Amino acid sequence: MKRIKTNQSKLKVNAVRAAAVVLSIGAGYAALRGFLDDSVCFDEQWRTFYWNRHWLAQEWAKSGGAMRLTTLFFSQFCSTVNGAAWLYALATTTLSLALAAIVGRLMQRIGRNPHFVTCYAIFWLAGIGTLFATESATCNQGTEHSFKAMMCQIGRNDWHAVIDGIGHETPDNYLLLNCLNLAYAETGQLPERFLQQPLRDVESLFVLEIPSPYIAAMLSDIYWSIGEISMAQRYAFEANEKLGDLSPRLLKRLVQTNIVYGHYAVAEKYLRWLESSPAHRSWAERHRRLLDDAAVEADPLLGQKRRCIPAQNCFPSTRSLPYDLQIILSQVPDHRPSAQYLQAIQMLKKQ
Amino acid sequence: MKFRYFLYFAALVSACSSPVEQDAEMVAQAAPVWPDVANVTVPRNLAPVRFVVDDDMPSQAIFTAVDQCCIVGDDDGQIAIAPDDWKRLAASADSITVRIQSQDGDSHWIEYEPFAIRISADSIDPFLTYRLIEPGYEVWSEMGIYQRDLTTYDEHALLENSETNGGCMNCHTSLHNNGDTTLFHLRAEMAGTYIAHNGEARRIAPHDIDPVPTLVYPAWHPTGRYVAFSSNRTKQAFHSTHRNRIEVFDTSSDIYIYEVESQRLITCPTIHSDAAFETYPTFSPDGRWLYFCSADSLNVFAAYDSVRYSLCRVAFDADGAIIGQDVDTIYNAHTQGRSALFPRISPDGRWLLFTVADFGNFSIWHREADLHLLDLHTGQEVPADVLNSPESESFHSWSSNGRWIVFSSRRMDGLYTRPYLAHVDADGQLSKPVVVPQSHARFYQYSMKSYNVPEFSRSQSVKINIK
């Protein structure tokens, strides 16, 4: 009888411990979820997990491959940012438990109370705190952090978040202005807002120097928005190449541009990759249905972008942009971002 | 316990059981195999050809050669015949018949029309050298020059740009299809033209012409004493509305001959003229002729689609390094209305393989670009349609015995260049080409690199070390 009671009380203690562990994982997730949003979301645009034997073998062979694969696996299976927060919370809790057990044993050996719960709480808080500190040190650095956040919002077509994120103070940085002006153009506010900006030249619409693939990706977004499909494709391809060929966000843009041009075979190649990614499979499957002309022309987005392709061939460039935009508008008069950028460029000329 | 052992045994037996020929219903339909390997010709020493059956059904292939047979079930979606089985079949016959059976119901099988894979007794050089790079525009990332063992699926790097501070590398070419002496260019930090002897690469230092031109498309003289180079000023622009994505054009180009021993550059007005763009040099196998492409020098920005290259040749005296003064026109762009590029002559000197595009000189970005074959004995073209596709066919080279060609084609998806092999018989008859086989049939569907400048090699090259 006594033994049964002892077992029951042990069971209760273990149940309480297990509940505490689960709770601490949940608390860790809740603490990290909002905080990791921008930085993790930014990273997830450029890499993802592919259920593909060639990719798995290739990644495994690289140095640090096992860790990278594990991170990508968790982050993608638990869906993007959520996954990373769960992974960090789980890792912190596991590590804290292990360390608390080791310290508890050591204290028992020297004849002292192990204080297991206290040790665990200290390690757990230290772990979560370290993650916060690391993320703050690497991400919350003014322009870079703002750019990352904006790129995530642009990736979600969340134009109001881009505008709201800037607040009342207009940035004096070309990169941020490029993002902001894209959001203004998409929401029909560019001409009026452009007049209020401290920096007003062509670079506040399109940066001319492209030192990183992320900037090329941003330019691809701008050109896609205004209907310059060949330039959108060019910058997406070059950014993707620089980022190791398999950025899901850039593969999606390459799928879109190739579908718009009717280059279905190569679009299908990129779709095949995206279909092997759990996080992007449904997007890819939706777009697989667009691999024929009738479906493209009926699609509200891609059909409109296809109508933006000039009837007469030309070599588009930043220099010829007003002329190219006029052509796009003559073909698709209701293509708002093209009209917005054209007005802004005309304002610059008047200046 | 006994039952558990029985289950283990049953699992083992089912795992080891070989597929058996099924009693299938014949359907009047070509087998949906990818890549297209139906009725191709392959050398006996090539690695096994692998393919997928694209019908979403469990499939198997029955390979038959004379009195030998091998049945292969699909594995991860592909029909991957084992190298030993392939060798056994290929050794005994000049053709392997392939029958594809697919299971379209619980116990119902269908069988497609059979096809043949012809086995040629003409062996192929066992190695293929190429550059792997994304089919990009102005930037680059990871790239390298690699060598593939065609008798297996093994590939090894000769030089990767991780060893050259990330710089671009291009235009590799070996003397006599032999990896012992290879030439290539590096761009960016370690820029220059290098010649590697047994893997030890040294930058060449040409002189006698000031300023020293940037050397681009190379071709060895058969004696190894000279290398002909073009020097090109190249630009590119993106089409907004065109069947081709981009246009790459030269605003000027000329040809120089580099004497390896003295490191001097020589040229003359027949190959270096302001009135013409001269490019893509190559020597005849006897070393007495220098072939090249030449176009009227136009304002390419205004008339890029009017620049068409003729195929020309001048005499070359290797003893005195003397370039002839008379130019023969082999293919006249003015009368033909098209542009001829990349002349490559078979080792016996009889066949001239070249690329023809509507205009311009960068045929890999021209979807209409096709290969043509000219009989230099008769001056007549022989049919080469079997090599071509609606997508670009461009760079090509000959095997050392002149019985095989390798060429770049974008036929799979219109963008990523893949190497194809085709047989050429003594009468210039060409076989249906086959893509260089890979250990997994779907490899090319996922590969994000292009196979650039494929060249045969008779021996395995050693890794290049830059001094």
Side-chain angles (χ1 to χ4, degrees):
Chain A
M1 193 65 163
K2 195 178 174 187
R3 193 174 166 183
I4 292 170
K5 271 192 177 176
T6 314
N7 282 346
Q8 276 180 343
S9 67
K10 265 190 181 173
L11 208 64
K12 270 186 186 173
V13 170
N14 285 338
V16 169
R17 280 180 181 168
V21 169
V22 170
L23 271 177
S24 57
I25 293 172
Y29 164 75
L32 291 166
R33 170 65 181 79
F35 188 76
L36 287 174
D37 202 344
D38 291 340
S39 60
V40 175
C41 163
F42 183 76
D43 288 343
E44 282 170 356
Q45 299 173 87
W46 320 118
R47 61 200 189 122
T48 190
F49 184 89
Y50 293 100
W51 263 128
N52 176 288
R53 58 189 281 171
H54 304 292
W55 181 81
L56 287 168
Q58 200 178 306
E59 288 297 306
W60 185 260
K62 288 180 186 169
S63 74
M67 186 59 204
R68 195 171 43 252
L69 281 177
T70 310
T71 311
L72 287 172
F73 179 84
F74 271 94
S75 65
Q76 294 309 314
F77 275 89
C78 304
S79 100
T80 60
V81 180
N82 285 335
W86 279 122
L87 178 69
Y88 286 149
L90 188 68
T92 309
T93 305
T94 312
L95 200 62
S96 305
L97 278 171
L99 288 173
I102 292 166
V103 172
R105 282 278 168 89
L106 289 175
M107 289 176 86
Q108 267 180 335
R109 277 195 185 175
I110 58 171
R112 301 184 63 173
N113 190 335
H115 293 296
F116 179 80
V117 175
T118 315
C119 285
Y120 171 70
I122 290 169
F123 285 126
W124 189 87
L125 286 170
I128 295 290
T130 309
L131 280 174
F132 268 94
T134 313
E135 285 296 317
S136 303
T138 53
C139 291
N140 279 323
Q141 290 173 349
T143 305
E144 187 188 333
H145 182 254
S146 303
F147 178 66
K148 284 182 172 181
M150 282 176 155
M151 284 300 282
C152 296
Q153 292 148 356
I154 290 171
R156 297 193 295 265
N157 291 345
D158 190 352
W159 309 114
H160 292 291
V162 176
I163 296 164
D164 296 345
I166 283 297
H168 296 296
E169 206 165 318
T170 308
D172 57 358
N173 173 285
Y174 282 132
L175 217 49
L176 302 187
L177 279 172
N178 278 209
C179 295
L180 183 62
N181 287 330
L182 171 60
Y184 284 146
E186 285 282 350
T187 52
Q189 310 174 53
L190 181 58
E192 61 181 283
R193 298 287 186 170
F194 194 54
L195 280 174
Q196 299 159 9
Q197 291 173 4
L199 287 172
R200 282 198 304 275
D201 58 35
V202 74
E203 284 214 72
S204 57
L205 298 172
F206 307 87
V207 286
L208 299 177
E209 297 248 329
I210 311 169
S212 94
Y214 309 114
I215 297 173
M218 179 199 70
L219 283 174
S220 175
D221 288 336
I222 297 173
Y223 281 113
W224 173 255
S225 170
I226 63 175
E228 280 272 26
I229 310 302
S230 70
M231 297 299 273
Q233 186 169 68
R234 175 211 170 150
Y235 286 117
F237 190 94
E238 291 188 335
N240 190 46
E241 183 179 350
K242 277 284 185 193
L243 291 166
D245 291 324
L246 293 173
S247 150
R249 175 166 170 177
L250 294 164
L251 285 180
K252 286 178 182 176
R253 174 56 38 78
L254 290 172
V255 167
Q256 290 174 317
T257 54
N258 280 294
I259 287 178
V260 166
Y261 272 120
H263 298 154
Y264 300 127
V266 74
E268 192 179 11
K269 177 189 186 76
Y270 302 135
L271 284 173
R272 213 172 276 126
W273 270 109
L274 290 165
E275 280 165 350
S276 67
S277 160
H280 304 283
R281 184 175 296 135
S282 60
W283 187 98
E285 284 169 354
R286 274 202 316 280
H287 282 74
R288 185 174 275 281
R289 291 195 283 272
L290 297 175
L291 296 178
D292 77 78
D293 288 344
V296 176
E297 275 143 31
D299 184 76
L301 175 65
L302 300 190
Q304 189 193 45
K305 295 297 181 193
R306 178 173 280 190
R307 288 191 290 280
C308 290
I309 296 173
Q312 291 289 319
N313 184 42
C314 59
F315 291 126
S317 70
T318 308
R319 209 181 311 161
S320 65
L321 206 53
Y323 175 73
D324 298 342
L325 289 173
Q326 278 168 348
I327 289 176
I328 292 169
L329 285 167
S330 71
Q331 296 179 181
V332 194
D334 59 345
H335 199 252
R336 185 162 70 179
S338 308
Q340 296 268 306
Y341 271 85
L342 182 59
Q343 275 182 273
I345 292 168
Q346 284 167 343
M347 282 177 189
L348 284 177
K349 280 193 175 167
K350 281 182 191 163
Q351 248 183 359
Chain B
M1 188 61 96
K2 278 181 184 170
F3 182 65
R4 198 200 301 172
Y5 285 133
F6 171 75
L7 283 181
Y8 288 160
F9 178 70
L12 193 68
V13 167
S14 67
C16 297
S17 64
S18 303
V20 291
E21 185 172 344
Q22 300 292 330
D23 185 13
E25 179 193 343
M26 301 295 293
V27 291
Q29 194 184 329
V33 294
W34 191 95
D36 183 4
V37 295
N39 306 314
V40 298
T41 301
V42 300
R44 191 159 276 147
N45 57 337
L46 187 70
V49 168
R50 291 180 168 175
F51 53 86
V52 290
V53 181
D54 237 349
D55 61 4
D56 293 327
M57 293 188 268
S59 300
Q60 61 182 22
I62 303 162
F63 295 83
T64 314
V66 195
D67 56 347
Q68 304 213 43
C69 177
C70 177
I71 305 177
V72 182
D74 79 27
D75 169 23
D76 191 24
Q78 69 162 337
I79 302 290
I81 186 169
D84 288 345
D85 290 334
W86 177 264
K87 272 184 197 158
R88 184 169 48 82
L89 293 171
S92 64
D94 56 7
S95 180
I96 296 173
T97 303
V98 186
R99 290 157 52 210
I100 304 292
Q101 297 186 323
S102 292
Q103 190 177 16
D104 73 344
D106 281 347
S107 56
H108 184 247
W109 287 74
I110 56 168
E111 183 173 320
Y112 297 101
E113 289 170 351
F115 62 85
I117 297 176
R118 297 188 183 90
I119 309 295
S120 169
D122 292 325
S123 64
I124 200 164
D125 291 336
F127 297 94
L128 189 68
T129 310
Y130 42 78
R131 179 175 68 150
L132 288 180
I133 185 175
E134 289 85 353
Y137 314 112
E138 287 176 359
V139 303
W140 65 85
S141 183
E142 292 170 4
M143 71 165 82
I145 299 171
Y146 297 83
Q147 197 170 65
R148 160 72 191 272
D149 183 344
L150 290 173
T151 64
T152 67
Y153 303 108
D154 295 341
E155 177 188 77
H156 74 280
L158 298 184
L159 182 66
E160 291 177 313
N161 70 341
S162 55
E163 302 156 64
T164 63
N165 297 336
C168 181
M169 59 187 66
N170 51 31
C171 297
H172 61 271
T173 183
S174 294
L175 175 62
H176 299 145
N177 287 30
N178 191 332
D180 292 350
T181 304
T182 299
L183 178 149
F184 60 93
H185 304 303
L186 293 182
R187 308 295 182 204
E189 269 186 49
M190 299 165 77
T193 298
Y194 291 77
I195 295 179
H197 292 289
N198 297 317
E200 297 297 325
R202 288 179 191 278
R203 181 163 31 194
I204 65 169
H207 54 79
D208 273 13
I209 288 180
D210 188 33
V212 175
T214 304
L215 304 176
V216 186
Y217 304 114
W220 283 98
H221 188 270
T223 59
R225 287 161 51 200
Y226 304 97
V227 187
F229 286 101
S230 62
S231 177
N232 312 58
R233 282 181 192 277
T234 304
K235 302 273 181 207
Q236 64 181 6
F238 289 77
H239 290 290
S240 66
T241 318
H242 200 273
R243 65 182 179 279
N244 301 319
R245 286 170 186 245
I246 67 169
E247 200 57 50
V248 181
F249 38 72
D250 289 343
T251 56
S252 72
S253 65
D254 293 297
I255 291 174
Y256 299 86
I257 293 175
Y258 173 73
E259 192 172 29
V260 176
E261 195 176 325
S262 66
Q263 301 207 35
R264 70 186 179 119
L265 281 173
I266 54 176
T267 189
C268 79
T270 47
I271 56 172
H272 186 294
S273 155
D274 289 341
F277 299 146
E278 300 93 350
T279 190
Y280 296 135
T282 192
F283 285 104
S284 59
D286 62 10
R288 292 172 49 220
W289 296 96
L290 174 68
Y291 286 75
F292 61 100
C293 302
S294 176
D296 297 339
S297 61
L298 303 176
N299 176 358
V300 287
F301 294 104
Y304 72 93
D305 53 359
S306 299
V307 180
R308 295 189 175 87
Y309 287 77
S310 296
L311 262 182
C312 304
R313 69 175 189 178
V314 290
F316 181 69
D317 174 3
D319 292 335
I322 298 164
I323 302 162
Q325 298 304 306
D326 299 322
V327 178
D328 293 344
T329 302
I330 311 293
Y331 177 99
N332 191 324
H334 295 285
T335 55
Q336 300 280 350
R338 302 194 77 199
S339 194
L341 310 158
F342 292 118
R344 290 288 184 275
I345 302 166
S346 60
D348 63 4
R350 178 163 179 192
W351 307 104
L352 171 61
L353 188 64
F354 58 107
T355 307
V356 176
D358 283 350
F359 58 88
N361 73 6
F362 216 79
S363 47
I364 196 64
W365 286 108
H366 278 247
R367 296 175 74 181
E368 81 285 358
D370 282 336
L371 294 174
H372 287 229
L373 187 64
L374 184 77
D375 184 345
L376 288 172
H377 288 185
T378 64
Q380 299 296 312
E381 279 199 37
V382 296
D385 293 345
V386 70
L387 300 180
N388 296 312
S389 74
E391 298 294 343
S392 172
E393 277 73 38
S394 185
F395 188 89
H396 44 269
S397 57
W398 292 86
S399 67
S400 55
N401 63 4
R403 285 289 167 262
W404 295 93
I405 56 168
V406 58
F407 63 92
S408 306
S409 174
R410 289 187 164 176
R411 67 188 62 184
M412 276 188 185
D413 53 39
L415 181 58
Y416 291 83
T417 312
R418 307 301 181 209
Y420 282 77
L421 307 170
H423 183 257
V424 191
D425 74 9
D427 300 321
Q429 193 161 349
L430 296 153
S431 72
K432 181 179 172 181
V434 61
V435 70
V436 169
Q438 299 287 348
S439 66
H440 199 288
R442 289 198 191 275
F443 174 85
Y444 292 115
Q445 290 184 337
Y446 288 98
S447 166
M448 299 292 273
K449 302 273 189 195
S450 270
Y451 285 70
N452 212 223
V453 192
E455 269 200 350
F456 288 111
S457 186
R458 287 181 292 147
S459 58
Q460 185 167 13
S461 303
V462 293
K463 195 164 168 49
I464 294 170
N465 174 34
I466 295 182
K467 289 196 168 177

